[in-house]
Amino acid sequence: MRIATYNVNGVNGRLPVLLRWLEETKPDIVCLQELKAPEEKFPLQAINDAGYNAIWHGQKSWNGVAILARGMEIKELRRVLPGDPEDLHSRYIEAWINDVVVGCLYLPNGNPAPGPKFDYKLQWFERLRVHATELIASGLPVVLTGDYNVMPMEIDVYKPERWVDDALFRPETRAAFGKIMEQGWTDAIRKLYPDQTIYTFWDYFRNAYGRDAGLRIDHFLLSPSIEGRLKAAGVDRHVRGWEKSSDHGPVWIELSD
């Protein structure tokens, strides 16, 4: 079973890229972030025509998450991260698919830091930590994936000395990610490629993609009951080079049955 995560950076504006990638790679489950579309504007017909069922949580102009499944039933479990009933951002959706819990998330960017946006990022991280604790305790096979907006280690960022004050790389952000990892989650990419430079995001500016000046901010965290099924993982880096593509590349893992 192949599961992928992809920050599409606008699902309607980049629909041709998304559909081309789905046709090329045919992942079984896909988690999308940054739909940037309200509920009624999600391109369900096009997704269905590509062979996928879908659930989504949209928001006008910003955020938005979705889970697609090819030929499989999707049982929605939740569409809001617990812990703050007043948080209206569309940043989390969770489903039961093929005997696996799949959580799709778009963690806040947090810039500028320090400031209210950074405070919100850390608060969201804490809510995720609490929920992740409950998911681990359930004993179920869980995949938590999406755009975490954090580079956990220096190897995950091109020229880390330039990012020390950025919300994606500040010590508080990395520590928050570390607290989740301490629960027993496995970083799929780092399990298979512990020392390799791997990026998932390349900015549109200064020819970042051409220079491979990237960041690894899209992650797969696997619960103890499923990490033993991890067989392969990678980034479809070439998709970032397509015309009118997102600034992220799709990231994927393969699990044994």
Side-chain angles (χ1 to χ4, degrees):
M1 180 168 65
R2 177 175 284 217
I3 305 176
T5 183
Y6 189 17
N7 180 320
V8 290
N9 193 13
V11 69
N12 287 303
R14 306 193 198 279
L15 187 59
V17 171
L18 174 62
L19 295 176
R20 177 183 172 187
W21 169 70
L22 289 174
E23 175 62 27
E24 179 183 281
T25 62
K26 294 182 170 57
D28 299 292
I29 299 171
V30 181
C31 293
L32 302 177
Q33 302 88 40
E34 275 204 275
L35 303 179
K36 296 183 178 179
E39 289 287 300
E40 67 275 11
K41 295 296 185 180
F42 183 79
L44 180 60
Q45 188 61 57
I47 297 296
N48 289 163
D49 290 346
Y52 288 84
N53 300 317
I55 60 172
W56 67 95
H57 186 194
Q59 183 177 341
K60 185 179 180 180
S61 302
W62 307 102
N63 308 320
V65 285
I67 301 178
L68 320 182
R70 187 163 61 93
M72 294 181 289
E73 179 184 0
I74 305 175
K75 181 182 179 183
E76 183 177 312
L77 299 178
R78 65 175 67 247
R79 57 174 43 219
V80 175
L81 185 68
D84 184 357
E86 295 183 0
D87 185 2
L88 301 179
H89 287 201
S90 302
R91 293 185 176 274
Y92 189 82
I93 194 166
E94 185 180 289
W96 179 252
I97 309 171
N98 197 25
D99 298 328
V100 176
V101 176
V102 178
C104 171
L105 63 94
Y106 175 46
L107 209 133
N109 177 285
N111 279 304
K117 291 184 177 180
F118 189 59
D119 294 341
Y120 172 62
K121 179 190 187 92
L122 296 180
Q123 292 162 5
W124 208 96
F125 241 134
E126 175 59 17
R127 288 162 57 198
L128 180 63
R129 185 196 64 78
V130 172
H131 185 54
T133 302
E134 297 174 356
L135 290 173
I136 285 272
S138 73
L140 295 169
V142 182
V143 174
L144 271 180
T145 188
D147 180 354
Y148 281 75
N149 268 319
V150 56
M151 298 86 78
M153 298 183 290
E154 289 194 353
I155 195 176
D156 297 318
V157 51
Y158 177 79
K159 294 192 175 180
E161 67 275 9
R162 296 184 178 180
W163 290 81
V164 291
D165 294 323
D166 193 278
L168 279 67
F169 200 54
R170 285 179 67 98
E172 304 96 319
T173 302
R174 296 162 71 188
F177 185 82
K179 287 180 180 178
I180 294 175
M181 295 302 297
E182 288 170 1
Q183 298 172 357
W185 298 91
T186 294
D187 179 340
I189 289 288
R190 283 292 164 236
K191 179 180 180 181
L192 296 182
Y193 306 101
D195 303 313
Q196 187 169 329
T197 299
I198 295 174
Y199 299 139
T200 67
F201 169 92
W202 298 263
D203 207 325
Y204 289 126
F205 302 106
R206 297 178 296 279
N207 191 32
Y209 176 68
R211 295 186 296 116
D212 198 26
L215 312 172
R216 189 177 77 97
I217 58 177
D218 305 271
H219 307 296
F220 274 93
L221 301 191
L222 311 181
S223 69
S225 56
I226 200 173
E227 64 93 11
R229 293 170 55 186
L230 178 65
K231 297 302 178 185
V235 182
D236 290 337
R237 185 187 185 281
H238 66 286
V239 175
R240 172 61 179 84
W242 291 352
E243 186 177 358
K244 297 182 179 179
S245 188
S246 169
D247 42 11
H248 293 249
V251 187
W252 53 269
I253 62 171
E254 287 185 359
L255 303 173
S256 62
D257 293 333

